[in-house]
Amino acid sequence: MTHHTGREPGSVAPERLDAEKAVRLDPGKPKRLDAGEAASAVRPADVPVDLDLHCAGRPAWRCTHDGEPFPCPTWRALPLDDSLRAVLLAAFTLFLRPAIRDLRGQPDGPTPPEIVRRFLWFLPVTDEEARAVALRYR
């Protein structure tokens, strides 16, 4: 399933990365950001990371740039503060349902709670909390 832009979740058109350009698809509804847009909108300008290259490739949920499990080490290395965590929470929560559907049951694949912890790496999530979130997003 593709994002409302016709792209896979996590992919971002370069022209949409400029946080100064507030473009809404429907003026009556708030625009939903994907992960790249969200992080680029709030990350400090001195972070020399081209996040639009590091997108989720479905159905394996691997980074399209470096082939690592998404979110890749580039995402995980972002210097986090409370505002970035809040934006990442909103953005990466959008990935949970499709990631759980794509990855669960694969041989040697992660369990749904492991997927939750993988996509919400920036939050302290207990095993019990990860199981509860995974059940909600199945």
Side-chain angles (χ1 to χ4, degrees):
M1 185 168 158
T2 58
H3 193 54
H4 67 275
T5 61
R7 294 177 174 80
E8 291 296 323
S11 65
V12 181
E15 67 273 13
R16 294 187 64 200
L17 287 175
D18 186 354
E20 299 299 318
K21 296 179 184 175
V23 178
R24 290 188 175 193
L25 299 176
D26 178 353
K29 294 182 182 177
K31 180 179 170 265
R32 288 181 15 178
L33 296 177
D34 66 18
E37 292 169 314
S40 65
V42 297
R43 72 181 167 87
D46 61 340
V47 176
V49 178
D50 195 4
L51 291 174
D52 62 324
L53 295 176
H54 297 270
C55 303
R58 290 184 65 191
W61 290 91
R62 293 190 124 2
C63 176
T64 57
H65 184 69
D66 57 32
E68 295 290 325
F70 187 83
C72 67
T74 300
W75 277 98
R76 292 172 179 266
L78 286 175
L80 297 173
D81 60 16
D82 288 340
S83 63
L84 182 56
R85 278 187 189 89
V87 173
L88 290 176
L89 178 60
F92 278 81
T93 300
L94 296 174
F95 294 135
L96 288 177
R97 181 168 280 121
I100 288 171
R101 288 182 179 165
D102 288 346
L103 294 172
R104 76 174 166 187
Q106 288 186 357
D108 299 320
T111 65
E114 290 170 337
I115 296 166
V116 169
R117 284 193 300 277
R118 173 174 151 182
F119 281 85
L120 302 180
W121 81 94
F122 51 90
L123 297 176
V125 178
T126 67
D127 289 342
E128 184 177 314
E129 291 167 334
R131 276 191 297 279
V133 171
L135 285 172
R136 178 165 174 89
Y137 282 92
R138 281 191 169 172

